[in-house]
Amino acid sequence: MEVSKSDALEIRVSDDVVLVRQAVRKWAIELGFSLVDQTKIITAASELARNTIDYGEGGTVRLESLIDGFRKGLRLIFLDNGPGIADIELALTDGYTSGKGLGLGLSGARRLMSDFRIESRVGDGTRVEITRWK
Amino acid sequence: MERIPILRMGDFLIISIQVDMHDRMAMTLQDDLTNKIIQTGAHGVLIDISTLDMVDSFIGRMINIIASMSRILDAETVVVGMQPAVAITLVELGLTLSGVRTALDVEKGMELLRAATRSRRAEAEEREDGSVEE
């Protein structure tokens, strides 16, 4: 698997969520994703970008265009140095929230993407990696 | 700050969301709308989202809140013009727009609001008639 293009964006304030959505849309279009797939990727990115601010005290997202043989993909890696998640299974439960949201961000993003990986250490931060293959 | 305009048409308020809303804008819209319902005594709110290319849990939650607040203030809410890709994504995300009426376009949405206010008026009249007889 080869990363054909990559970039990183800061996620600090709520306006950055809009910028992340716009960047992800541009990349998804470039890779030739269908409209439905574009919408799924943008929505997942929006959820995770907001989580980065609301729960991770801000962070970054790394965008990567992937080529794996004949297939293409878009990978997004959200990183923060926030308080981390003590119970990942619980955080991935539909409807569970430690804040004031609907509790669909993480679980919803997982359903919308092909691959979903999350690592978190309490006191260290959280890393969420999502990929959608074409 | 950028604001989403709220138009009045007879008994109804009309909002067309045509920008990629950041979170603060969504919060302002909630406030503006409740104030406007009280000011005008409107009985229906129509939200056109035909140009929105994604609805994440934040915007979904905003729509739910607007609908519940409107109901308390004696106004029905109808969301119109959702793009197919947005609808597909919304379902996969796990978001339900509970208690929110939807219609395919503005025209059908207006019909729905008119019918809702008519039936409500009829109910109110029936109740009044009933109390006279007693």
Side-chain angles (χ1 to χ4, degrees), chain A residues 8-49:
Chain A
L9 292 171
E10 292 271 315
I11 310 173
R12 299 284 163 206
V13 292
S14 83
D15 291 14
D16 292 338
V17 177
V18 176
L19 298 179
V20 169
R21 285 204 292 258
Q22 286 166 355
V24 170
R25 179 182 305 126
K26 199 171 144 240
W27 284 51
I29 292 171
E30 266 175 26
L31 282 162
F33 277 102
S34 71
L35 183 59
V36 172
D37 280 352
Q38 283 172 37
T39 309
K40 287 180 181 179
I41 302 167
I42 295 163
T43 308
S46 184
E47 298 293 344
L48 296 180

mmCIF file of all heavy atoms in Angstrom, chain A residues 8-49:
data_model
loop_
_atom_site.group_PDB
_atom_site.id
_atom_site.type_symbol
_atom_site.label_atom_id
_atom_site.label_comp_id
_atom_site.label_asym_id
_atom_site.label_seq_id
_atom_site.Cartn_x
_atom_site.Cartn_y
_atom_site.Cartn_z
ATOM 1 N N ALA A 8 -1.850 17.692 6.544
ATOM 2 C CA ALA A 8 -2.363 17.728 7.914
ATOM 3 C C ALA A 8 -3.047 19.060 8.174
ATOM 4 O O ALA A 8 -2.635 20.093 7.642
ATOM 5 C CB ALA A 8 -1.233 17.517 8.903
ATOM 6 N N LEU A 9 -4.100 19.026 8.979
ATOM 7 C CA LEU A 9 -4.840 20.243 9.331
ATOM 8 C C LEU A 9 -4.979 20.329 10.846
ATOM 9 O O LEU A 9 -5.131 19.321 11.520
ATOM 10 C CB LEU A 9 -6.249 20.205 8.735
ATOM 11 C CG LEU A 9 -6.432 20.287 7.221
ATOM 12 C CD1 LEU A 9 -7.886 20.017 6.881
ATOM 13 C CD2 LEU A 9 -6.025 21.652 6.713
ATOM 14 N N GLU A 10 -4.933 21.567 11.325
ATOM 15 C CA GLU A 10 -5.156 21.792 12.754
ATOM 16 C C GLU A 10 -6.662 21.783 13.047
ATOM 17 O O GLU A 10 -7.451 22.247 12.226
ATOM 18 C CB GLU A 10 -4.635 23.183 13.132
ATOM 19 C CG GLU A 10 -3.140 23.335 13.047
ATOM 20 C CD GLU A 10 -2.470 22.967 14.358
ATOM 21 O OE1 GLU A 10 -2.968 23.413 15.410
ATOM 22 O OE2 GLU A 10 -1.475 22.232 14.321
ATOM 23 N N ILE A 11 -7.025 21.257 14.202
ATOM 24 C CA ILE A 11 -8.426 21.333 14.639
ATOM 25 C C ILE A 11 -8.424 21.949 16.033
ATOM 26 O O ILE A 11 -8.127 21.281 17.011
ATOM 27 C CB ILE A 11 -9.086 19.941 14.701
ATOM 28 C CG1 ILE A 11 -8.865 19.169 13.392
ATOM 29 C CG2 ILE A 11 -10.579 20.065 14.966
ATOM 30 C CD1 ILE A 11 -9.334 17.728 13.455
ATOM 31 N N ARG A 12 -8.697 23.249 16.076
ATOM 32 C CA ARG A 12 -8.650 23.952 17.372
ATOM 33 C C ARG A 12 -9.995 24.550 17.761
ATOM 34 O O ARG A 12 -10.412 24.467 18.896
ATOM 35 C CB ARG A 12 -7.609 25.087 17.323
ATOM 36 C CG ARG A 12 -6.194 24.633 17.060
ATOM 37 C CD ARG A 12 -5.560 23.991 18.294
ATOM 38 N NE ARG A 12 -4.379 23.229 17.902
ATOM 39 C CZ ARG A 12 -3.890 22.191 18.561
ATOM 40 N NH1 ARG A 12 -4.500 21.779 19.667
ATOM 41 N NH2 ARG A 12 -2.845 21.540 18.139
ATOM 42 N N VAL A 13 -10.643 25.211 16.803
ATOM 43 C CA VAL A 13 -11.914 25.886 17.104
ATOM 44 C C VAL A 13 -13.004 25.310 16.197
ATOM 45 O O VAL A 13 -12.702 24.607 15.232
ATOM 46 C CB VAL A 13 -11.810 27.417 16.894
ATOM 47 C CG1 VAL A 13 -10.902 28.038 17.923
ATOM 48 C CG2 VAL A 13 -11.318 27.742 15.492
ATOM 49 N N SER A 14 -14.256 25.645 16.522
ATOM 50 C CA SER A 14 -15.363 24.990 15.806
ATOM 51 C C SER A 14 -15.370 25.318 14.311
ATOM 52 O O SER A 14 -15.833 24.528 13.505
ATOM 53 C CB SER A 14 -16.695 25.304 16.475
ATOM 54 O OG SER A 14 -17.178 26.544 16.044
ATOM 55 N N ASP A 15 -14.824 26.480 13.934
ATOM 56 C CA ASP A 15 -14.738 26.806 12.500
ATOM 57 C C ASP A 15 -13.835 25.814 11.758
ATOM 58 O O ASP A 15 -14.006 25.585 10.564
ATOM 59 C CB ASP A 15 -14.188 28.220 12.290
ATOM 60 C CG ASP A 15 -15.170 29.287 12.753
ATOM 61 O OD1 ASP A 15 -16.131 28.928 13.453
ATOM 62 O OD2 ASP A 15 -14.974 30.468 12.414
ATOM 63 N N ASP A 16 -12.881 25.236 12.476
ATOM 64 C CA ASP A 16 -11.969 24.268 11.844
ATOM 65 C C ASP A 16 -12.709 23.013 11.384
ATOM 66 O O ASP A 16 -12.292 22.349 10.447
ATOM 67 C CB ASP A 16 -10.840 23.865 12.816
ATOM 68 C CG ASP A 16 -9.889 25.038 13.097
ATOM 69 O OD1 ASP A 16 -9.844 25.967 12.269
ATOM 70 O OD2 ASP A 16 -9.202 25.006 14.128
ATOM 71 N N VAL A 17 -13.820 22.709 12.062
ATOM 72 C CA VAL A 17 -14.619 21.537 11.658
ATOM 73 C C VAL A 17 -15.115 21.735 10.229
ATOM 74 O O VAL A 17 -15.084 20.816 9.407
ATOM 75 C CB VAL A 17 -15.813 21.316 12.631
ATOM 76 C CG1 VAL A 17 -16.672 20.147 12.175
ATOM 77 C CG2 VAL A 17 -15.306 21.081 14.050
ATOM 78 N N VAL A 18 -15.535 22.979 9.933
ATOM 79 C CA VAL A 18 -15.995 23.296 8.579
ATOM 80 C C VAL A 18 -14.838 23.134 7.580
ATOM 81 O O VAL A 18 -15.009 22.569 6.502
ATOM 82 C CB VAL A 18 -16.564 24.740 8.523
ATOM 83 C CG1 VAL A 18 -16.959 25.113 7.104
ATOM 84 C CG2 VAL A 18 -17.768 24.879 9.445
ATOM 85 N N LEU A 19 -13.655 23.617 7.961
ATOM 86 C CA LEU A 19 -12.491 23.522 7.064
ATOM 87 C C LEU A 19 -12.112 22.064 6.809
ATOM 88 O O LEU A 19 -11.740 21.693 5.695
ATOM 89 C CB LEU A 19 -11.300 24.295 7.647
ATOM 90 C CG LEU A 19 -11.515 25.794 7.819
ATOM 91 C CD1 LEU A 19 -10.288 26.459 8.430
ATOM 92 C CD2 LEU A 19 -11.842 26.452 6.470
ATOM 93 N N VAL A 20 -12.206 21.234 7.854
ATOM 94 C CA VAL A 20 -11.903 19.803 7.700
ATOM 95 C C VAL A 20 -12.900 19.180 6.721
ATOM 96 O O VAL A 20 -12.521 18.452 5.806
ATOM 97 C CB VAL A 20 -11.950 19.060 9.063
ATOM 98 C CG1 VAL A 20 -11.896 17.544 8.876
ATOM 99 C CG2 VAL A 20 -10.806 19.517 9.964
ATOM 100 N N ARG A 21 -14.186 19.489 6.906
ATOM 101 C CA ARG A 21 -15.206 18.957 5.995
ATOM 102 C C ARG A 21 -14.900 19.349 4.553
ATOM 103 O O ARG A 21 -14.997 18.526 3.645
ATOM 104 C CB ARG A 21 -16.593 19.515 6.371
ATOM 105 C CG ARG A 21 -17.202 18.906 7.601
ATOM 106 C CD ARG A 21 -18.711 19.028 7.578
ATOM 107 N NE ARG A 21 -19.206 20.391 7.700
ATOM 108 C CZ ARG A 21 -19.700 20.919 8.834
ATOM 109 N NH1 ARG A 21 -19.725 20.209 9.940
ATOM 110 N NH2 ARG A 21 -20.165 22.137 8.846
ATOM 111 N N GLN A 22 -14.527 20.631 4.355
ATOM 112 C CA GLN A 22 -14.262 21.099 2.987
ATOM 113 C C GLN A 22 -13.049 20.405 2.380
ATOM 114 O O GLN A 22 -13.063 20.018 1.206
ATOM 115 C CB GLN A 22 -14.094 22.628 2.984
ATOM 116 C CG GLN A 22 -15.431 23.334 3.170
ATOM 117 C CD GLN A 22 -15.300 24.812 3.506
ATOM 118 O OE1 GLN A 22 -14.188 25.312 3.701
ATOM 119 N NE2 GLN A 22 -16.420 25.506 3.595
ATOM 120 N N ALA A 23 -12.002 20.236 3.184
ATOM 121 C CA ALA A 23 -10.793 19.566 2.682
ATOM 122 C C ALA A 23 -11.104 18.108 2.335
ATOM 123 O O ALA A 23 -10.720 17.609 1.267
ATOM 124 C CB ALA A 23 -9.678 19.638 3.725
ATOM 125 N N VAL A 24 -11.837 17.437 3.230
ATOM 126 C CA VAL A 24 -12.162 16.023 3.011
ATOM 127 C C VAL A 24 -13.019 15.871 1.752
ATOM 128 O O VAL A 24 -12.813 14.960 0.951
ATOM 129 C CB VAL A 24 -12.873 15.423 4.251
ATOM 130 C CG1 VAL A 24 -13.434 14.043 3.947
ATOM 131 C CG2 VAL A 24 -11.900 15.353 5.432
ATOM 132 N N ARG A 25 -13.958 16.793 1.569
ATOM 133 C CA ARG A 25 -14.809 16.738 0.374
ATOM 134 C C ARG A 25 -13.942 16.821 -0.881
ATOM 135 O O ARG A 25 -14.096 16.042 -1.830
ATOM 136 C CB ARG A 25 -15.815 17.881 0.388
ATOM 137 C CG ARG A 25 -16.724 17.895 -0.848
ATOM 138 C CD ARG A 25 -17.689 19.064 -0.838
ATOM 139 N NE ARG A 25 -18.467 19.097 0.381
ATOM 140 C CZ ARG A 25 -18.564 20.153 1.188
ATOM 141 N NH1 ARG A 25 -17.922 21.262 0.891
ATOM 142 N NH2 ARG A 25 -19.281 20.099 2.267
ATOM 143 N N LYS A 26 -12.992 17.768 -0.879
ATOM 144 C CA LYS A 26 -12.125 17.981 -2.039
ATOM 145 C C LYS A 26 -11.328 16.712 -2.351
ATOM 146 O O LYS A 26 -11.250 16.276 -3.498
ATOM 147 C CB LYS A 26 -11.184 19.155 -1.735
ATOM 148 C CG LYS A 26 -10.567 19.773 -2.960
ATOM 149 C CD LYS A 26 -9.839 21.065 -2.609
ATOM 150 C CE LYS A 26 -8.606 21.188 -3.473
ATOM 151 N NZ LYS A 26 -7.363 21.259 -2.705
ATOM 152 N N TRP A 27 -10.771 16.105 -1.308
ATOM 153 C CA TRP A 27 -9.957 14.906 -1.500
ATOM 154 C C TRP A 27 -10.814 13.733 -1.982
ATOM 155 O O TRP A 27 -10.393 12.953 -2.833
ATOM 156 C CB TRP A 27 -9.238 14.536 -0.201
ATOM 157 C CG TRP A 27 -8.068 15.419 0.105
ATOM 158 C CD1 TRP A 27 -8.075 16.787 0.118
ATOM 159 C CD2 TRP A 27 -6.734 15.017 0.426
ATOM 160 N NE1 TRP A 27 -6.826 17.249 0.444
ATOM 161 C CE2 TRP A 27 -5.995 16.191 0.638
ATOM 162 C CE3 TRP A 27 -6.110 13.780 0.576
ATOM 163 C CZ2 TRP A 27 -4.639 16.159 0.978
ATOM 164 C CZ3 TRP A 27 -4.768 13.751 0.926
ATOM 165 C CH2 TRP A 27 -4.039 14.925 1.114
ATOM 166 N N ALA A 28 -12.003 13.610 -1.423
ATOM 167 C CA ALA A 28 -12.884 12.496 -1.791
ATOM 168 C C ALA A 28 -13.320 12.623 -3.255
ATOM 169 O O ALA A 28 -13.416 11.628 -3.974
ATOM 170 C CB ALA A 28 -14.099 12.461 -0.868
ATOM 171 N N ILE A 29 -13.555 13.862 -3.683
ATOM 172 C CA ILE A 29 -13.930 14.090 -5.087
ATOM 173 C C ILE A 29 -12.758 13.742 -5.996
ATOM 174 O O ILE A 29 -12.914 13.052 -7.008
ATOM 175 C CB ILE A 29 -14.393 15.555 -5.305
ATOM 176 C CG1 ILE A 29 -15.728 15.797 -4.585
ATOM 177 C CG2 ILE A 29 -14.519 15.882 -6.793
ATOM 178 C CD1 ILE A 29 -16.184 17.246 -4.551
ATOM 179 N N GLU A 30 -11.562 14.198 -5.608
ATOM 180 C CA GLU A 30 -10.348 13.919 -6.391
ATOM 181 C C GLU A 30 -10.134 12.414 -6.592
ATOM 182 O O GLU A 30 -9.702 11.968 -7.646
ATOM 183 C CB GLU A 30 -9.122 14.486 -5.672
ATOM 184 C CG GLU A 30 -8.742 15.882 -6.123
ATOM 185 C CD GLU A 30 -7.584 16.425 -5.286
ATOM 186 O OE1 GLU A 30 -6.785 15.600 -4.735
ATOM 187 O OE2 GLU A 30 -7.501 17.643 -5.176
ATOM 188 N N LEU A 31 -10.454 11.656 -5.538
ATOM 189 C CA LEU A 31 -10.256 10.205 -5.610
ATOM 190 C C LEU A 31 -11.382 9.503 -6.373
ATOM 191 O O LEU A 31 -11.323 8.296 -6.602
ATOM 192 C CB LEU A 31 -10.157 9.619 -4.192
ATOM 193 C CG LEU A 31 -8.809 9.828 -3.501
ATOM 194 C CD1 LEU A 31 -8.939 9.622 -1.995
ATOM 195 C CD2 LEU A 31 -7.759 8.874 -4.066
ATOM 196 N N GLY A 32 -12.401 10.269 -6.735
ATOM 197 C CA GLY A 32 -13.472 9.714 -7.554
ATOM 198 C C GLY A 32 -14.529 8.940 -6.779
ATOM 199 O O GLY A 32 -15.218 8.090 -7.348
ATOM 200 N N PHE A 33 -14.670 9.231 -5.487
ATOM 201 C CA PHE A 33 -15.705 8.559 -4.700
ATOM 202 C C PHE A 33 -17.094 8.978 -5.186
ATOM 203 O O PHE A 33 -17.283 10.116 -5.624
ATOM 204 C CB PHE A 33 -15.573 8.930 -3.214
ATOM 205 C CG PHE A 33 -14.563 8.120 -2.475
ATOM 206 C CD1 PHE A 33 -13.310 8.646 -2.177
ATOM 207 C CD2 PHE A 33 -14.857 6.827 -2.067
ATOM 208 C CE1 PHE A 33 -12.372 7.900 -1.491
ATOM 209 C CE2 PHE A 33 -13.919 6.077 -1.366
ATOM 210 C CZ PHE A 33 -12.669 6.614 -1.087
ATOM 211 N N SER A 34 -18.064 8.069 -5.094
ATOM 212 C CA SER A 34 -19.449 8.389 -5.462
ATOM 213 C C SER A 34 -19.996 9.418 -4.480
ATOM 214 O O SER A 34 -19.439 9.617 -3.395
ATOM 215 C CB SER A 34 -20.307 7.132 -5.398
ATOM 216 O OG SER A 34 -20.490 6.761 -4.044
ATOM 217 N N LEU A 35 -21.103 10.041 -4.863
ATOM 218 C CA LEU A 35 -21.682 11.089 -4.010
ATOM 219 C C LEU A 35 -22.059 10.540 -2.624
ATOM 220 O O LEU A 35 -21.816 11.180 -1.605
ATOM 221 C CB LEU A 35 -22.911 11.703 -4.703
ATOM 222 C CG LEU A 35 -23.570 12.860 -3.969
ATOM 223 C CD1 LEU A 35 -22.602 14.016 -3.749
ATOM 224 C CD2 LEU A 35 -24.804 13.334 -4.717
ATOM 225 N N VAL A 36 -22.622 9.324 -2.617
ATOM 226 C CA VAL A 36 -23.011 8.730 -1.333
ATOM 227 C C VAL A 36 -21.764 8.487 -0.472
ATOM 228 O O VAL A 36 -21.743 8.806 0.720
ATOM 229 C CB VAL A 36 -23.796 7.416 -1.539
ATOM 230 C CG1 VAL A 36 -24.018 6.700 -0.209
ATOM 231 C CG2 VAL A 36 -25.136 7.701 -2.194
ATOM 232 N N ASP A 37 -20.719 7.949 -1.092
ATOM 233 C CA ASP A 37 -19.485 7.703 -0.338
ATOM 234 C C ASP A 37 -18.850 9.007 0.148
ATOM 235 O O ASP A 37 -18.382 9.088 1.287
ATOM 236 C CB ASP A 37 -18.478 6.930 -1.198
ATOM 237 C CG ASP A 37 -18.798 5.436 -1.224
ATOM 238 O OD1 ASP A 37 -19.700 5.025 -0.461
ATOM 239 O OD2 ASP A 37 -18.156 4.706 -1.989
ATOM 240 N N GLN A 38 -18.859 10.025 -0.708
ATOM 241 C CA GLN A 38 -18.336 11.342 -0.295
ATOM 242 C C GLN A 38 -19.076 11.816 0.953
ATOM 243 O O GLN A 38 -18.464 12.265 1.921
ATOM 244 C CB GLN A 38 -18.615 12.388 -1.377
ATOM 245 C CG GLN A 38 -17.715 12.362 -2.583
ATOM 246 C CD GLN A 38 -18.245 13.340 -3.644
ATOM 247 O OE1 GLN A 38 -18.749 14.402 -3.315
ATOM 248 N NE2 GLN A 38 -18.123 12.971 -4.903
ATOM 249 N N THR A 39 -20.397 11.714 0.905
ATOM 250 C CA THR A 39 -21.227 12.195 2.015
ATOM 251 C C THR A 39 -20.912 11.425 3.298
ATOM 252 O O THR A 39 -20.808 12.009 4.376
ATOM 253 C CB THR A 39 -22.718 12.045 1.653
ATOM 254 O OG1 THR A 39 -22.931 12.644 0.375
ATOM 255 C CG2 THR A 39 -23.603 12.723 2.670
ATOM 256 N N LYS A 40 -20.730 10.102 3.161
ATOM 257 C CA LYS A 40 -20.407 9.287 4.342
ATOM 258 C C LYS A 40 -19.061 9.695 4.941
ATOM 259 O O LYS A 40 -18.926 9.830 6.155
ATOM 260 C CB LYS A 40 -20.375 7.805 3.950
ATOM 261 C CG LYS A 40 -21.760 7.235 3.706
ATOM 262 C CD LYS A 40 -21.702 5.771 3.323
ATOM 263 C CE LYS A 40 -23.114 5.242 3.075
ATOM 264 N NZ LYS A 40 -23.113 3.837 2.672
ATOM 265 N N ILE A 41 -18.067 9.883 4.078
ATOM 266 C CA ILE A 41 -16.729 10.237 4.568
ATOM 267 C C ILE A 41 -16.754 11.613 5.235
ATOM 268 O O ILE A 41 -16.199 11.808 6.317
ATOM 269 C CB ILE A 41 -15.690 10.212 3.418
ATOM 270 C CG1 ILE A 41 -15.642 8.823 2.764
ATOM 271 C CG2 ILE A 41 -14.304 10.596 3.930
ATOM 272 C CD1 ILE A 41 -14.892 8.792 1.435
ATOM 273 N N ILE A 42 -17.431 12.567 4.583
ATOM 274 C CA ILE A 42 -17.488 13.933 5.131
ATOM 275 C C ILE A 42 -18.199 13.931 6.487
ATOM 276 O O ILE A 42 -17.766 14.594 7.426
ATOM 277 C CB ILE A 42 -18.218 14.888 4.153
ATOM 278 C CG1 ILE A 42 -17.434 15.041 2.850
ATOM 279 C CG2 ILE A 42 -18.424 16.259 4.790
ATOM 280 C CD1 ILE A 42 -18.247 15.623 1.709
ATOM 281 N N THR A 43 -19.273 13.157 6.576
ATOM 282 C CA THR A 43 -20.031 13.113 7.828
ATOM 283 C C THR A 43 -19.198 12.486 8.944
ATOM 284 O O THR A 43 -19.147 13.010 10.064
ATOM 285 C CB THR A 43 -21.354 12.335 7.628
ATOM 286 O OG1 THR A 43 -22.046 12.890 6.501
ATOM 287 C CG2 THR A 43 -22.247 12.434 8.846
ATOM 288 N N ALA A 44 -18.517 11.381 8.621
ATOM 289 C CA ALA A 44 -17.652 10.745 9.629
ATOM 290 C C ALA A 44 -16.558 11.712 10.074
ATOM 291 O O ALA A 44 -16.267 11.845 11.270
ATOM 292 C CB ALA A 44 -17.036 9.464 9.052
ATOM 293 N N ALA A 45 -15.968 12.428 9.104
ATOM 294 C CA ALA A 45 -14.894 13.385 9.419
ATOM 295 C C ALA A 45 -15.428 14.503 10.314
ATOM 296 O O ALA A 45 -14.751 14.936 11.254
ATOM 297 C CB ALA A 45 -14.313 13.966 8.134
ATOM 298 N N SER A 46 -16.640 14.947 10.039
ATOM 299 C CA SER A 46 -17.242 16.018 10.819
ATOM 300 C C SER A 46 -17.437 15.577 12.271
ATOM 301 O O SER A 46 -17.132 16.320 13.211
ATOM 302 C CB SER A 46 -18.578 16.408 10.188
ATOM 303 O OG SER A 46 -19.138 17.502 10.865
ATOM 304 N N GLU A 47 -17.911 14.341 12.457
ATOM 305 C CA GLU A 47 -18.114 13.813 13.809
ATOM 306 C C GLU A 47 -16.789 13.755 14.572
ATOM 307 O O GLU A 47 -16.695 14.180 15.719
ATOM 308 C CB GLU A 47 -18.713 12.398 13.758
ATOM 309 C CG GLU A 47 -20.086 12.294 13.105
ATOM 310 C CD GLU A 47 -21.183 12.979 13.906
ATOM 311 O OE1 GLU A 47 -20.962 13.276 15.088
ATOM 312 O OE2 GLU A 47 -22.261 13.218 13.324
ATOM 313 N N LEU A 48 -15.765 13.213 13.915
ATOM 314 C CA LEU A 48 -14.491 13.020 14.621
ATOM 315 C C LEU A 48 -13.773 14.352 14.863
ATOM 316 O O LEU A 48 -13.124 14.530 15.892
ATOM 317 C CB LEU A 48 -13.599 12.046 13.840
ATOM 318 C CG LEU A 48 -14.174 10.618 13.729
ATOM 319 C CD1 LEU A 48 -13.230 9.720 12.940
ATOM 320 C CD2 LEU A 48 -14.437 10.013 15.110
ATOM 321 N N ALA A 49 -13.916 15.286 13.911
ATOM 322 C CA ALA A 49 -13.283 16.600 14.100
ATOM 323 C C ALA A 49 -13.914 17.308 15.300
ATOM 324 O O ALA A 49 -13.217 17.921 16.108
ATOM 325 C CB ALA A 49 -13.431 17.445 12.835
#
